[in-house]
Amino acid sequence: MIPVRGYEGRRVAVLGLGRSGLATARALKAGGAEPVLWDDSPEARSKAEVEGFECRDLTKQDGFTGVEVLIVSPGIPHLYPKPNPVIAAAWAAQVPVDNDVGLFFRSLATDEWNRFETLPRVIAVTGSNGKSTTSALIHHCLDHAGRPSQLAGNIGRGVLDIDAPGDGDVVVLELSSYQTDLARSLTPDIAVFTNLTPDHLDRHGGMGGYFAAKRRLFAEGGPDRAIIGVDENEGAYLANQLAEGPGDDRVIRVSVSCKLDGEGWNLFARKGFLSEYRKGRQVASIDLRNLPGLPGVHNHQNALMAYGALRGLGLAPRLIEQGFHSFAGLPHRSQTVAQINGVRFVNDSKATNADSAAMALRAFPNIRWIAGGLGKDGGIASLTGEMDHVVKAYLIGHSAREFALQISDVPHEICETMDIAVRKAAADAEPGDTILLAPAAASFDQYADFEKRGEDFTRLVEELDGQ
């Protein structure tokens, strides 16, 4: 645990008592603060009270009496589409609003660090797609290299729930826009921006607000080194803003769409090969084509991002390459769960929007595509140009019929449920086919989250394998 510093003997309110909210309350208490908690759920409040925490209705007129700061869990909207009433009440009471990420950065360094030979480092990863795989790959390669590290944030443990880092330790954080948007302190040593595609637009008031939330990690934090995907205009803009000149190697530019020229520090992938260039000369190359845990161009981008962060720490290219080869991938992200009679079954349940599904569709040949769920704005209309590899689509969930209309020229079948889709796709499949779950939709019509959806797919495939 990271005890929260700076609020000793002071009352701190916590809104939202999920995983991060309770971890925050414990860390505040460990640091000597007096947390007061609130959640709309009576069950969540009861759980907190069992741990000995005080719960107070922060919506009441005197809810913020004596409160120094309000800490908000990431799932609670603070501005768009409209402020949560408790947050609006904090504004009215002139109580500052922060989150657990802000508390983490202000509390991480301690006097003990003065005795360390090598200071701990923090790598923070944000972007639209690939954050989890990039973060996990960085952590895996550090572990392979014998560097002590911890994985936290949107993946692994909560940011305040990790162990206090020791001499030379590295903390790898995956940070969503919900987390970077509100944090008052953002000071990573290395920051990674993977890419930007439309997502969470209602929460951020459009693409401009969404990009602004991501940009705060770099503009507010001032990292020593920034790894920036420049295949979208926003990334190119950000890299340009951060660099002082063409040769400024504090910025590492990354592309999977073109070769990058110039005197700076550049990483790009072409025809499945990673290339590292510095001062206009190639200094390293890695063959990415046959890495079992990193299939497809989207995973090549993740590899580039992780490589840049690890090189920023000083790891040698060959050591990083060894880590890439032993990386098994993450569950629900282009995860091969079985090979049955020459047919590959791939679980990419995390592909919850059209852009991430497009990446998966480009990664495999001869696809029998399981898609659907609770569709997002635009559905899968943008994927009509990505159907070259799709033999047939098997559509499930709330948006099955809408999706069918949008891909009417592609052979498809409305299956409604996962079990029917898996069974029919398996019956139709031939050796060399890939049965791909890449829903391009949220899971909430039939599953609690994308993990449960992916677990159901995996279970059904395992049952096929046992027949």
Side-chain angles (χ1 to χ4, degrees):
M1 180 186 296
I2 306 294
V4 173
R5 300 166 51 148
Y7 293 106
E8 294 83 355
R10 300 159 70 186
R11 188 164 289 166
V12 177
V14 178
L15 176 62
L17 301 179
R19 182 186 67 140
S20 67
L22 278 176
T24 298
R26 296 180 192 119
L28 284 162
K29 187 175 181 179
E34 299 176 6
V36 293
L37 282 50
W38 183 250
D39 192 295
D40 290 339
S41 165
E43 293 81 7
R45 297 197 299 269
S46 295
K47 185 177 179 181
E49 287 169 344
V50 166
E51 291 195 36
F53 290 111
E54 175 191 350
C55 289
R56 176 197 292 186
D57 189 346
L58 298 172
T59 65
K60 292 187 175 179
Q61 187 172 1
D62 59 350
F64 282 95
T65 300
V67 170
E68 296 279 342
V69 65
L70 172 65
I71 308 302
V72 179
S73 294
I76 299 173
H78 59 274
L79 187 56
Y80 302 111
K82 64 179 181 180
N84 181 279
V86 173
I87 294 175
W91 295 346
Q94 300 183 14
V95 171
V97 179
D98 202 349
N99 65 12
D100 59 338
V101 173
L103 296 181
F104 167 85
F105 278 110
R106 69 176 288 166
S107 304
L108 185 63
T110 65
D111 292 340
E112 185 183 15
W113 286 28
N114 294 326
R115 299 191 292 273
F116 290 165
E117 289 188 13
T118 304
L119 292 178
R121 308 288 294 280
V122 176
I123 300 173
V125 181
T126 196
S128 296
N129 301 307
K131 297 186 298 297
S132 296
T133 298
T134 298
S135 301
L137 182 57
I138 294 169
H139 178 249
H140 171 82
C141 290
L142 288 169
D143 186 59
H144 174 82
R147 291 284 297 270
S149 65
Q150 299 180 76
L151 182 62
N154 228 27
I155 185 173
R157 300 158 72 181
V159 292
L160 293 170
D161 202 30
I162 67 171
D163 301 326
D167 196 331
D169 285 3
V170 180
V171 178
V172 184
L173 301 181
E174 178 196 338
L175 298 181
S176 72
S177 58
Y178 292 4
Q179 294 167 307
T180 58
D181 198 16
L182 197 57
R184 285 174 167 253
S185 180
L186 286 167
T187 54
D189 299 285
I190 296 174
V192 179
F193 178 87
T194 61
N195 49 57
L196 196 79
T197 58
D199 208 358
H200 310 305
L201 300 188
D202 58 338
R203 173 67 180 262
H204 296 293
M207 277 295 286
Y210 180 46
F211 175 54
K214 302 287 190 185
R215 181 180 174 275
R216 289 192 75 247
L217 184 63
F218 304 85
E220 303 289 334
D224 296 332
R225 181 154 281 124
I227 293 84
I228 309 292
V230 296
D231 287 332
E232 293 87 32
N233 287 335
E234 291 86 355
Y237 167 84
L238 181 59
N240 182 270
Q241 280 209 316
L242 294 174
E244 292 296 329
D248 187 350
D249 68 1
R250 295 174 303 167
V251 177
I252 303 177
R253 291 172 172 84
V254 177
S255 176
V256 289
S257 67
C258 64
K259 178 181 178 180
L260 296 177
D261 297 314
E263 291 298 308
W265 196 342
N266 297 316
L267 300 174
F268 56 89
R270 299 181 73 191
K271 298 181 179 179
F273 284 86
L274 177 155
S275 294
E276 177 185 4
Y277 275 70
R278 299 187 72 174
K279 301 183 186 302
R281 294 185 176 183
Q282 185 170 5
V283 297
S285 177
I286 296 175
D287 186 351
L288 303 174
R289 293 172 298 175
N290 297 309
L291 299 177
L294 296 165
V297 172
H298 62 305
N299 275 311
H300 294 175
Q301 184 181 60
N302 298 333
L304 287 164
M305 296 294 171
Y307 181 92
L310 293 162
R311 290 290 284 141
L313 283 177
L315 267 68
R318 292 302 146 216
L319 196 57
I320 299 171
E321 182 177 10
Q322 292 169 11
F324 284 0
H325 277 280
S326 59
F327 181 65
L330 286 180
H332 318 300
R333 297 163 177 86
S334 294
Q335 175 196 17
T336 297
V337 297
Q339 295 262 7
I340 305 173
N341 299 325
V343 177
R344 175 189 292 187
F345 291 78
V346 176
N347 168 19
D348 200 7
S349 183
K350 185 63 170 65
T352 58
N353 58 46
D355 290 297
S356 52
M359 298 294 187
L361 292 172
R362 295 168 193 159
F364 305 98
N366 305 329
I367 294 171
R368 295 189 179 276
W369 179 32
I370 299 175
L374 192 60
K376 298 186 177 180
D377 288 347
I380 57 172
S382 63
L383 295 179
T384 54
E386 306 289 348
M387 298 294 154
D388 291 349
H389 296 173
V390 177
V391 179
K392 183 177 178 179
Y394 304 80
L395 304 175
I396 65 173
H398 178 270
S399 297
R401 285 167 177 77
E402 175 192 349
F403 282 15
L405 291 173
Q406 293 175 330
I407 59 166
S408 57
D409 293 338
V410 177
H412 61 271
E413 185 171 352
I414 294 175
C415 298
E416 302 287 358
T417 62
M418 185 73 74
D419 59 330
I420 295 174
V422 170
R423 188 168 66 250
K424 290 195 172 185
D428 293 344
E430 300 175 354
D433 287 354
T434 295
I435 295 178
L436 170 67
L437 171 65
S443 61
F444 305 127
D445 56 335
Q446 295 178 322
Y447 299 95
D449 49 44
F450 74 84
E451 289 97 340
K452 290 290 187 291
R453 178 170 58 191
E455 289 166 6
D456 192 31
F457 173 79
T458 301
R459 175 186 63 81
L460 291 163
V461 172
E462 289 172 348
E463 290 177 0
L464 284 176
D465 201 13
Q467 293 175 359

